[in-house]
Amino acid sequence: MTKPLEDILVVDFSQFLSGPSAGLRLADLGARVIKVERRGTGDICRQLYISDLVMNGDSSVFHAINRNKESFVADLKQADDREHVLELLRRADVLIHNFRPGVMHRLKLDYELVKSLNPGIVYAEITGYGSEGVWKDKPGQDLLVQSLSGLSWLSGSKEDMPVPMGIAVADILTGAHLVQGILACLVRRGVNGEGGLVQASMLESVVDFQFETITTWYQDGGQPARRSRNNSAHAYLGAPYGIYQTSDGFLALAMASIPLLGKLIACPELEQYNDPATWFDERDEIKDILSAHLRGGTTARWLKVLEPADIWCADVFTWDKLMSHEGFRAIDMVQEVSMSDGFTYKTTRCPILIDGEPLLSGRGAPKLGEHTEGILNELK
Amino acid sequence: MLEFCQYLSGPSAGLRLADLGARVIKIERPGSGEGGRKLAIKELYSGEDSILFHTINRNKESYVADLKDPGSLKKVKKLIARADVMTHNFRPGIMEKIGLDYTAVKAINPRIVYGVVSGYGKKGPWAAKPGQDLLVQALSGLTWLSGNKDTAPVPFGLSVADILSGAHLAQGVLAALVRRGKTGQGALVEVSLLESTLDLQFEVITTYLNDGGQPPRRAKKGGAHAYLSAPYGVYRTSTGYLALAMEKLDYLGEVLGCTELEAFDDPSGWFTRKDEIMEVLANFLSKKSTADWLQLLEPHDIWCSEVLDYPAFMEHPGYKALQMDQEIRLKDGTTIRTTRCPLRIDGQRIFNPRPAPGLGAHNRQIDAELEIASDNIKCGENV
C-alpha cells in the first residue's frame, strides 16, 4: 500500500495535544512531519507528566503523541534559525501551529507572510476560543473549554457535581477537525493549485461535539440538560440507557423496550411500562427498579438472557479485561515503536485502515533536536 | 458522495464533507428511509423526521432505491460509476449479499474511495455485535476515566464513539482523495467505533501499556482526569463551581492565600496525595463565590474557569462571538436553529441553510441527470 500522504511535508510548530495530535494523524497517513521546537525545553508536553511516568527522559504522553515525527530545534527570534525555518516553509505543504492569537504575527510567521513565500501552502491554526470575543485571550486548556461549553453537565447523575469527561476530548476533537480541514484543502490544491487557511478552535469543536444536544436545546425552549437520578449515560435518553451494577460487576444497556426487557429478565414490575413515553418521563423510577433487579444476578447471566434476544447490552471492561479478550486481540491495535537510541515502547496505532491494512510505523518519538543537523544538510 | 449510512457515525462524516463542499446523496430504502429519521430525543420532530435527523443530515440529497430490486440496483450502479466517494455502515456481509462490496464497486469505478464504518472491525468474536455507542464505551475501558473513585463506571454523556469514528472516516476518505489526485487510484477506508474509541484514549492507554498496567485512579471527589495531579478538577464555591487545570500547587496556594497547601511542598505528592489536597482546596474554595476566585486567579495566569450550563453558555458573549449557530430553512417556511461546521476555511465560517432532504426528494432530479448522462454516452458512441 502507498500511504495516502506520501510526499507531503508538514512543518509543525504546535505544542501539547491539539495541534500535535493532528500532526500524528498526518504522519500515520504517510506525511513527513517535522516538529519545530524551541531550544532547551522543546514542546512543553515533554515535561507534562501524567501518572508521574517518565519514559527515556520525556513524559509518557509526549511519546504517545509525537511518535513517527522528526524534531528540529530553532529559536524563531534568531536570524539564522529563522532563515532555516523559512526555507523549510518554502518546501512545506502544510504548516500547523497552536500559539495564542497574535503570536505568529509577532514572529512574522502569519499566514500572509508564509503565503507570500509559498502560495500553495495549507496554513492550519488552532486557538482556544477563536480570534474574537471576550474569551480570545483565555488559555486554550481542555478542562476550561469543557467547563465553559456546558459539556460537564452531560455526564454523571443528577445529584453529582459537574462531571468533566476524563480525557482531553476538546484537544482531541480540535486536532481531528484540523486534520479534516487540512486534507480538504489539499484536495482542493490538487484540483486548482491554491493553498488555504484552516482555522479550528477548541470551543467551536466542543460545540460541534454537542451538535445534537445543542440543536435540541434550541428547539426545546432552552431547558438545561437533565441527567437521570441514577445509572445515567446520556442526559437526553430514556430508560434503560445506562450502566448497572450486577452481583459481580456491571452491565451496559442501550436503548430497549422496557416491557420486553422486564419479560426477559423476569422482572414483572417493568411490564407495566407499555407506553414508550414513560421510558423517558419516568426513567428515574424505571432505572431504580431495573437497578435493584440486576444486582440479583451476574453480568454473564444477564448477557446470556439478553444477547440472544438482540437487546443491546455489553459487559463493562477495564483495560485489563479488554486487553485479554479475543475481541481486542483481533483488531491488533497495539504496536511497538523504537527510538533512535534503541528505547522501545508500546502504544496504539492509527485507527484508520487503508486498502485493508493498518497504518503502522515503528518509529518512536524524536529526542529534542534529533533531526536538526540532518535537516540543515538537506536545506543546503 | 453516496451515503449508504444510518444514524450518526457514517452520516456525521457525510455532513462534514457536505459542509466542506461535496455533493452528498443519501441512498435510502423505500418506505421508511434511513432509521435516523425516526430516532428522536425528547420526541422532537419537524414534519415527518426527527430534529436529530435534521441536525445530522442537513445539506444532503436523498435518493430512494430498493437495493434488492434489479432495476433500482442498476441505477445505483450508474450513480456509483460517477461517484468519488461512497460510504456505508452495514454489518459485515450485507454489501457482499447486495453485490456492492468493495471488489464489486471497484470493478464499476476503480477511482472510487469506499468508506466503511463498523462497530468492532470485521475480524474476531465481536464482528457481528451491534455497533452501538454505549456498548463500545463500556467494552473499551473508557467508562473508568470519568467521575469519582467510589462511583460506578461513568460513560461520556454523548455518542463519542459514533462521533469520533465519523471524524476518522472523514479523515481517511479525504486522505485517500489526496492520493487519488496524485496517482489516480481509489481506496478502501475502514474505521470502527471500537478502534476510534481506543484512539481517543491513546495517551492514557500508552501510559497504561508502559507503567506496568496500573489501573486508572479516579479522584475521591471533583475529579476531572484520572491521570493528572492536584489541583486538576472541579470545586464547589459559594455560588456555583470552579474548574482548576494544571498548576504548581505552591504557586496556587500563594495566590489563593491558602496556607494549608504549604504542607504539600513535595511535587511528587501532588499526584500521590491528590485526594487530600483536593479536599483542602474544596473546603477553602467553598467560602467565596466563583466570580471572587476568578478575579483573584485570572490575573495571575492560573488556568481556571467558571462552569456553565447550556442556558448560561448560550447567553454568554463568548459563545455569541463565535457565531456558531445557523438557521436551516425548511420547504414549509419553518426554520430549525442548529450549529454550523466548526472549521473556518480561508478566514470564512462555513454556513449552509439547506435543510435535510425529504425521503426520496431528489429521485426525479437524479434520474434525469443519469438519463442525460447516458444519452451523452450514446451520442458519444454515435460520433
Side-chain angles (χ1 to χ4, degrees), chain A residues 2 4 6 8 17 24-25 50-51 53 55 60-61 64-65 129 132-135 138-139 141 143-144 147-156 161-167 172 176-177 179-181 183 186-188 196-199 203-204 207-220 223 233-234 236-237 241-243 250 252-254 307 312-313 315-320 322-323 325 327-328 330-331 333 345-349 351-356, chain B residues 8 15-16 41-42 44 51-52 55-56 120 124-126 129-130 132 134-135 138-141 143-147 152-158 160 163 167-168 170-171 174-175 177-179 182 187-190 194-195 198-208 210-211 222-225 227-228 232-234 241 243-246 271 298 303-311 313-314 316 318-319 321-322 324-325 336-340 342-347 349:
Chain A
T2 320
E6 269 174 29
I8 296 288
L17 175 58
L24 174 63
R25 180 59 36 85
I50 66 171
S51 180
L53 183 62
M55 291 156 54
S60 61
V61 255
I65 305 165
Y129 309 85
E132 68 284 303
V134 291
W135 284 332
K138 215 178 150 59
Q141 196 282 328
L143 177 61
L144 311 190
S147 300
L148 290 174
S149 69
L151 189 71
S152 63
W153 292 102
L154 299 181
S155 306
M161 304 208 316
V163 177
M165 293 181 174
I167 289 271
I172 286 171
H177 295 157
V179 168
Q180 295 172 343
L183 292 171
L186 288 174
V187 172
R188 184 177 67 177
L197 171 64
V198 180
Q199 293 164 298
L203 188 59
E204 283 163 286
V207 170
D208 178 67
F209 183 31
Q210 302 173 78
F211 78 130
E212 296 175 291
T213 50
I214 288 179
T215 301
T216 301
W217 186 84
Y218 278 130
Q219 325 303 320
D220 74 0
Q223 296 172 39
H234 197 300
Y236 290 81
L237 294 175
Y241 208 85
I243 286 183
F250 295 92
L253 275 174
E307 278 185 329
W312 289 354
C313 57
D315 201 341
V316 180
F317 281 176
T318 57
W319 290 327
D320 183 36
L322 168 74
M323 289 181 193
H325 197 283
F328 178 80
I331 59 172
M333 191 70 196
Y345 60 95
K346 282 185 180 166
T347 185
T348 52
R349 64 162 168 81
I352 303 168
L353 306 186
I354 301 283
D355 299 336
Chain B
L8 177 56
L15 175 62
R16 181 59 36 85
I41 51 182
K42 288 196 164 183
L44 288 169
I51 290 292
L52 214 50
T55 306
I56 305 165
Y120 310 83
W126 288 333
K129 203 175 158 63
Q132 195 284 329
L134 179 62
L135 311 188
L139 290 173
S140 74
T143 61
W144 296 99
L145 298 176
S146 307
V154 176
F156 281 22
L158 283 176
V160 65
I163 285 171
H168 296 157
Q171 291 176 343
L174 288 166
L177 287 174
V178 172
R179 182 176 74 177
K182 284 188 186 166
L188 171 64
V189 176
E190 293 164 289
L194 180 61
E195 285 158 281
L198 293 169
D199 179 64
L200 170 66
Q201 305 173 74
F202 79 123
E203 296 175 281
V204 287
I205 287 180
T206 299
T207 302
Y208 175 82
N210 295 283
D211 72 358
H225 198 298
Y227 284 84
L228 289 171
Y232 206 89
V234 174
Y241 298 93
L244 277 174
M246 307 86 175
F271 188 83
E298 281 185 330
W303 290 357
C304 59
S305 80
E306 56 195 323
V307 180
L308 303 178
D309 61 5
Y310 279 168
F313 176 51
M314 307 301 170
H316 200 288
Y319 173 71
L322 297 177
M324 193 64 204
D325 57 314
I336 297 173
R337 184 165 293 275
T338 184
T339 54
R340 62 166 167 84
L343 287 160
R344 304 185 196 191
I345 304 287
D346 300 335
R349 295 176 177 86

Side-chain angles (χ1 to χ4, degrees), chain A residues 330-367:
Chain A
I331 59 172
D332 245 333
M333 191 70 196
V334 175
Q335 62 179 342
E336 191 166 271
V337 298
S338 311
M339 292 173 62
S340 56
D341 63 2
F343 180 83
T344 63
Y345 60 95
K346 282 185 180 166
T347 185
T348 52
R349 64 162 168 81
C350 176
I352 303 168
L353 306 186
I354 301 283
D355 299 336
E357 289 176 47
L359 297 156
L360 301 174
S361 162
R363 194 151 76 141
K367 288 283 192 183

